[in-house]
Amino acid sequence: MIKNRALSFFILFAVYCISTAACVFIFPLLKYDYWLNVFVLDVIATVIVFIFSLIFRNASVYDPYWSVQPIVILAFSMCFHKFNLLGILLCCAVFLWGIRLTANWAYTFKGLTHQDWRYTMLHEKTGFFYPVINFVGIHMVPTVIVFFCILPAVEAIHCGALFTPVSGLCILLSVFAFTVQGIADVQMHSFKKNGGQGFIRNGLWKHSRHPNYLGEILMWWGIGLACFAAMPDKWYLLSGAFANTCLFLFVSIPLAENHQARKPGFEEYKKQTRVLI
């Protein structure tokens, strides 16, 4: 197991460069519709990252993928299409969200000796079936959900959808969302750095047990609705934001709540603080 943090960063950077290079090589060979080509490349990149997670025996090799994937997909889309105001604003919102989330991951990254507690818990609970859970639940499901979250923006850029005032308001919702996430993360880091015990009850965390998850949910509704306002006939593209909301409501939040429930005073904290808003 690699213990050096700097070396761990370099290895993960190399892994993601390899997966990106593989997609660049494969792209000219694909003959599907544009968005399906992008989806196939996304799946291939995920499989490559999964293979390296097996090599290093650490599913957290995948952790940066959540925030890097949308940036790469939109950057790729912008290379093959004309720029317009809506496309530029969508890219700016997603890029800022992704850079902030990746920076937060990097700040908390401890090296390849550390694996997210949720993955370790799943490994302990599923035993023999963990490789399947690892591939499907930890890697592929998030990839598919985030792909469908970013698909409205991909389609808007591909179709050259025009900016509308409502689209602008929805993009502002996304900006508000990742700002909430950033503030929540800074408050949590400060709480932990100052030796905080139990539950954080100041700032945004005074009003919500999961303000960071709230920001993530609102982020993709903002992007989806911005594109819907410009392309109302493609309402089905909102399915990504809906699936993402379900992921947090029925998987991420219950896992976090069960983890927190082991701390004394959780029931009282739960009564005093709302789940999201």
Side-chain angles (χ1 to χ4, degrees):
M1 184 66 72
I2 298 167
K3 297 182 179 180
N4 185 279
R5 187 168 182 262
L7 180 58
S8 296
F9 269 121
F10 176 78
I11 289 172
L12 288 186
F13 178 75
V15 168
Y16 282 78
C17 285
I18 291 170
S19 63
T20 302
C23 291
V24 171
F25 175 78
I26 294 170
F27 174 66
L29 306 177
L30 300 178
K31 305 300 180 183
Y32 308 114
D33 291 335
Y34 176 75
W35 74 266
L36 188 54
N37 287 340
V38 176
F39 179 71
V40 170
L41 294 174
D42 198 6
V43 170
I44 290 171
T46 301
V47 170
I48 293 172
V49 171
F50 170 70
I51 290 171
F52 278 102
S53 78
L54 295 180
I55 292 172
F56 295 110
R57 287 183 273 182
N58 189 333
S60 282
V61 169
Y62 178 82
D63 285 353
Y65 200 93
W66 180 278
S67 55
V68 172
Q69 169 196 15
I71 293 177
V72 173
I73 289 175
L74 278 194
F76 177 81
S77 297
M78 292 298 282
C79 289
F80 295 94
H81 299 90
K82 293 181 179 180
F83 286 68
N84 67 14
L85 180 58
L86 180 58
I88 291 171
L89 291 176
L90 288 169
C91 284
C92 287
V94 173
F95 287 4
L96 289 172
W97 164 86
I99 291 169
R100 189 215 64 78
L101 192 56
T102 305
N104 185 66
W105 163 81
Y107 179 80
T108 58
F109 179 64
K110 299 176 182 178
L112 287 172
T113 55
H114 175 76
Q115 178 174 257
D116 190 295
W117 63 268
R118 290 167 293 190
Y119 308 157
T120 302
M121 179 197 69
L122 287 172
H123 195 175
E124 292 171 352
K125 286 188 174 182
T126 58
F128 177 79
F129 297 100
Y130 177 69
V132 176
I133 299 297
N134 186 9
F135 178 70
V136 177
I138 296 176
H139 287 76
M140 200 54 62
V141 169
T143 286
V144 172
I145 288 177
V146 176
F147 174 81
F148 281 100
C149 283
I150 200 66
L151 185 58
V154 172
E155 187 66 12
I157 293 170
H158 181 60
C159 297
L162 299 178
F163 176 84
T164 71
V166 177
S167 294
L169 290 175
C170 293
I171 290 173
L172 286 177
L173 173 62
S174 290
V175 173
F176 169 77
F178 66 69
T179 301
V180 165
Q181 285 182 295
I183 293 172
D185 287 338
V186 169
Q187 291 172 346
M188 177 59 78
H189 295 323
S190 177
F191 176 75
K192 291 181 176 179
K193 187 176 181 180
N194 293 327
Q197 300 294 323
F199 310 101
I200 178 172
R201 299 189 185 216
N202 61 284
L204 296 176
W205 301 86
K206 180 181 179 180
H207 308 285
S208 171
R209 301 202 295 274
H210 305 282
N212 48 344
Y213 289 167
L214 173 64
E216 192 67 17
I217 290 170
L218 292 179
M219 168 66 194
W220 295 114
W221 277 110
I223 295 298
L225 289 171
C227 298
F228 171 68
M231 307 177 298
D233 57 316
K234 299 190 177 182
W235 55 268
Y236 51 86
L237 293 177
L238 291 172
S239 59
F242 177 75
N244 182 64
T245 302
C246 290
L247 176 67
F248 280 97
L249 291 180
F250 301 115
V251 179
S252 299
I253 289 176
L255 279 174
E257 297 272 281
N258 289 336
H259 188 66
Q260 290 278 71
R262 297 181 298 178
K263 297 179 182 179
F266 177 72
E267 288 304 319
E268 180 184 358
Y269 166 66
K270 191 175 179 180
K271 292 177 183 178
Q272 296 175 347
T273 312
R274 295 183 291 273
V275 179
L276 289 174
I277 188 170

